[in-house]
Amino acid sequence: MKRRALIIGSGICGLATAVRLLENDPELDVTLLESEDQPGGLARSLTLDGHVADLGPHRIFTELPDVQEFLQDLAGEDMVTVKRTSQMFLQGSWIDYPPRPMEILRLLGPGKIAAVGASYAMRKARNIALGKSKRENFETVMADAFGEELYRLIVLGYTEKVWKIDPTEIHADIARVRVSAGGLDQMVKRVFIPEKKGQETALKKFLYIPGGVERLVDRLVERVEAAGGKIATGTRVTDLRRMNNGKWQVISEGPRGGRRTDSAEWVFSTMPVTELLDVLLARRPNDQVAEARRQMRFIANFLVAVVVDRPRVTENTWLYFPGPETIFNRGYEPKNFSPTMGSPNQTMLVLEITCHHGDKIWNSSDEELTRATLDGLEKTGLLKSSEIANTLVHRIPHTYPLYDLDYRRRLNFVWRYLARYPRLISVGRQGLFLHNNMDHSIHMGFRAADVVNEHPDDPQRHFYKEVRRFQKFRIVD
């Protein structure tokens, strides 16, 4: 009989894992079990009145050679180059983002700019004299980079709005991996000296596939199926059991409520690690692991899509809203990524609203979220309610892993626990509780498959030794 691998989830990481497994061993039986009605995970699209939008814009950019080669082969000549233009609505005005020093000068005036410079210099001098704080957090790292004045002006409000907790309770890693604008010295330096390739702090252009990231998923699915892989949609995994013969038995519910049982030599899980732990702990309780799992939280994300009776609202790819005048923190206009995403006489804006499970926003109805979104759009002057043709709310329960101050210790403990389960690998953004981009997820899927090829008897032990390097991936906005 053929050896078999089961992959829980058919998002970008799960599909990339399947592709590499089948490349490494064309005789391997590979099946993906997907709880949704179609593959893609977060790399899917929403549609409204003929307009298309990614579930969060998935620009194509990578610093990983293996992923660069793979994406070029997968999408090839269909990819287009898009100029990145972004703005932030700050104190009632629109400024370019990342901000340019001259814009900051215009917005604040010479007096306030002097205070910003003095704040930055004082912070640098204090760190030289006393050394950096041993109790680093998001706020200390960003205040060191920008000075306290500029941090409070640009960074603080947006951070509180996205994460919904005090920035002093956020781990410094979130500041380190998101290098969007660099520090104050880098902002000034960029005015005079272009950034070197591989050291960019913000993209000036990126690649995109017309029609949205779902087109990329379609090609991944085609490649998996052409190699003999299978995808079972509408199939939610409910139990995992290690059998006496060393194989895994995977129990799932089918699309019509029927029970499905699969067995395999290897299992790859890309579902949120909290859900995987729930399944494992139900069979083998462990109080310490259960407590670690309880404290692992994901930020949820609501998308409010707004069809507008206007060819364009702005020329920007991204819009940022750090202030209290809007419930949403970020927006994007899909037609500015590709004209194929909408109609000639209308456009669509998609506004992102983050929240915690169980908070006021989470418990809001679609009508309440839509009303609050339209109110915010009017306050920013982007459009009037009379221009709205249609709206849609899409809810994403797991978007960003929340890095609190203790997340590293807790995550290392969870990884050591998972390494005890032979031939079971948790991988991907949600599966490893890592804040990363699409290219990183592809790379992790490749590596998970390669480790099985290199160490078929105990791949999990080798894989979890490598995962810490995934924490060092740069996220370039």
Side-chain angles (χ1 to χ4, degrees), residues 189-205:
K189 185 179 178 181
R190 281 200 305 271
V191 176
F192 305 101
I193 304 174
E195 293 176 309
K196 294 180 181 179
K197 184 174 178 58
Q199 299 179 3
E200 300 96 336
T201 54
L203 295 177
K204 294 180 175 61
K205 60 183 180 179

Side-chain angles (χ1 to χ4, degrees), residues 31-225:
T31 300
L32 297 96
L33 304 175
E34 172 57 52
S35 61
E36 300 292 332
D37 59 0
Q38 68 182 83
L42 293 178
R44 289 174 55 183
S45 302
L46 62 84
T47 59
L48 182 61
D49 296 347
H51 299 267
V52 181
D54 296 339
L55 302 184
H58 285 72
R59 83 286 186 281
I60 298 174
F61 172 82
T62 186
E63 298 173 329
L64 302 168
D66 60 336
V67 179
Q68 178 68 47
E69 182 180 350
F70 177 73
L71 289 173
Q72 190 63 48
D73 179 56
L74 194 67
E77 297 179 357
D78 289 342
M79 290 193 293
V80 297
T81 300
V82 181
K83 180 182 178 182
R84 182 248 174 89
T85 54
S86 303
Q87 287 191 308
M88 173 179 283
F89 188 73
L90 187 65
Q91 295 186 349
S93 298
W94 288 99
I95 64 170
D96 287 345
Y97 183 84
R100 292 181 286 110
M102 294 306 295
E103 282 195 307
I104 299 295
L105 175 62
R106 174 183 59 80
L107 181 68
L108 300 181
K112 191 68 173 177
I113 282 292
V116 167
S119 170
Y120 178 72
M122 289 173 62
R123 188 88 184 188
K124 285 288 187 185
R126 192 200 70 175
N127 288 341
I128 292 172
L130 303 178
K132 291 187 177 182
S133 170
K134 293 182 179 179
R135 292 189 58 81
E136 282 190 325
N137 55 54
F138 181 92
E139 183 166 290
T140 61
V141 171
M142 297 304 281
D144 285 347
F146 292 98
E148 291 188 18
E149 286 285 339
L150 201 57
Y151 161 73
R152 297 192 179 281
L153 173 69
I154 295 177
V155 181
L156 176 60
Y158 189 73
T159 303
E160 290 177 326
K161 204 169 184 183
V162 171
W163 298 102
K164 302 294 190 292
I165 63 173
D166 191 302
T168 60
E169 298 175 17
I170 302 174
H171 199 279
D173 283 353
I174 285 291
R176 292 193 186 102
V177 300
R178 297 199 68 85
V179 295
S180 55
L184 181 61
D185 53 348
Q186 290 171 288
M187 287 173 60
V188 176
K189 185 179 178 181
R190 281 200 305 271
V191 176
F192 305 101
I193 304 174
E195 293 176 309
K196 294 180 181 179
K197 184 174 178 58
Q199 299 179 3
E200 300 96 336
T201 54
L203 295 177
K204 294 180 175 61
K205 60 183 180 179
F206 55 88
L207 296 174
Y208 193 72
I209 184 163
V213 70
E214 207 166 275
R215 303 286 73 79
L216 208 60
V217 170
D218 292 342
R219 295 186 183 190
L220 278 167
V221 169
E222 289 172 4
R223 186 162 293 194
V224 169
E225 293 179 338

Side-chain angles (χ1 to χ4, degrees), residues 49 306-313 345-349 374 377-378 381-391:
D49 296 347
V306 180
V307 176
V308 184
D309 283 327
R310 197 193 301 177
R312 282 285 200 284
V313 173
N345 299 320
Q346 288 183 323
T347 190
M348 184 166 71
L349 279 178
L374 298 183
L377 288 171
E378 285 205 343
L382 278 173
L383 50 85
K384 297 178 180 179
S385 294
S386 58
E387 296 178 281
I388 305 301
N390 206 352
T391 61

Side-chain angles (χ1 to χ4, degrees), residues 322-337:
E325 55 274 301
T326 67
I327 189 174
F328 46 84
N329 47 277
R330 190 173 73 158
Y332 51 99
E333 191 168 353
K335 276 179 70 174
N336 293 337
F337 289 79

